[in-house]
Amino acid sequence: MERISEAEAVVLSVLWDDHPLTAQEVVERVPDERRWSANTVRTLLARLVAKKIVAHEPDGRRFLYRPLVAREDYVARESRRLIDGLFGGRPTRLVAHLVQRDELSAEEVAEIRALLKDLGA
């Protein structure tokens, strides 16, 4: 799967939340703070279709769009890319980095401990 930009990820997130959608429906669901024009959203949809991350099918005079990549698969791939690229492939280095930088709250550390305990680690 090709990499996608942050802007493309916003559009893809809309489709993960609900699909199939028309381009206009995607435009209406993109967060307001983005302040993107309808043309911008349509361009992002076209890029995602070209990258084979989103499919489109005719529905009368419009197209319906749906994701071809599951959110979980995308998150797993991007997480692995981050860990491989910045932390030498070792997730423990990511966690250590966050702890050392005080990026994790006590509640988040407790959640990690509970998760590890549940996994039998």
Side-chain angles (χ1 to χ4, degrees):
M1 175 175 34
E2 282 190 59
R3 298 233 26 206
I4 64 173
S5 69
E6 179 184 341
E8 291 165 341
V10 170
V11 170
L12 187 54
S13 183
V14 169
L15 291 170
W16 280 326
D17 289 343
D18 188 19
H19 61 273
L21 295 174
T22 65
Q24 185 58 42
E25 289 170 327
V26 175
V27 168
E28 292 166 2
R29 294 177 188 200
V30 166
D32 291 337
E33 63 267 11
R34 293 292 175 164
R35 298 182 185 175
W36 290 339
S37 70
N39 285 339
T40 298
V41 174
R42 285 182 173 86
T43 297
L44 293 167
L45 281 166
R47 288 182 190 170
L48 290 166
V49 168
K51 292 178 179 183
K52 296 182 178 21
I53 294 170
V54 166
H56 68 298
E57 54 198 49
D59 181 48
R61 296 178 46 134
R62 61 189 187 174
F63 286 99
L64 293 175
Y65 295 86
R66 65 181 171 79
L68 292 174
V69 175
R71 184 187 313 251
E72 296 77 18
D73 294 338
Y74 175 74
V75 168
R77 189 185 66 111
E78 288 301 306
S79 298
R80 176 50 49 195
R81 185 180 303 225
L82 171 76
I83 290 167
D84 289 347
L86 296 179
F87 301 99
R90 301 203 38 218
T92 52
R93 288 183 180 171
L94 168 61
V95 174
H97 169 78
L98 294 173
V99 169
Q100 291 166 354
R101 294 281 202 163
D102 289 328
E103 298 288 335
L104 296 177
S105 68
E107 181 180 319
E108 290 167 325
V109 171
E111 287 176 19
I112 291 170
R113 284 188 177 125
L115 175 63
L116 292 172
K117 182 180 177 185
D118 288 347
L119 293 172

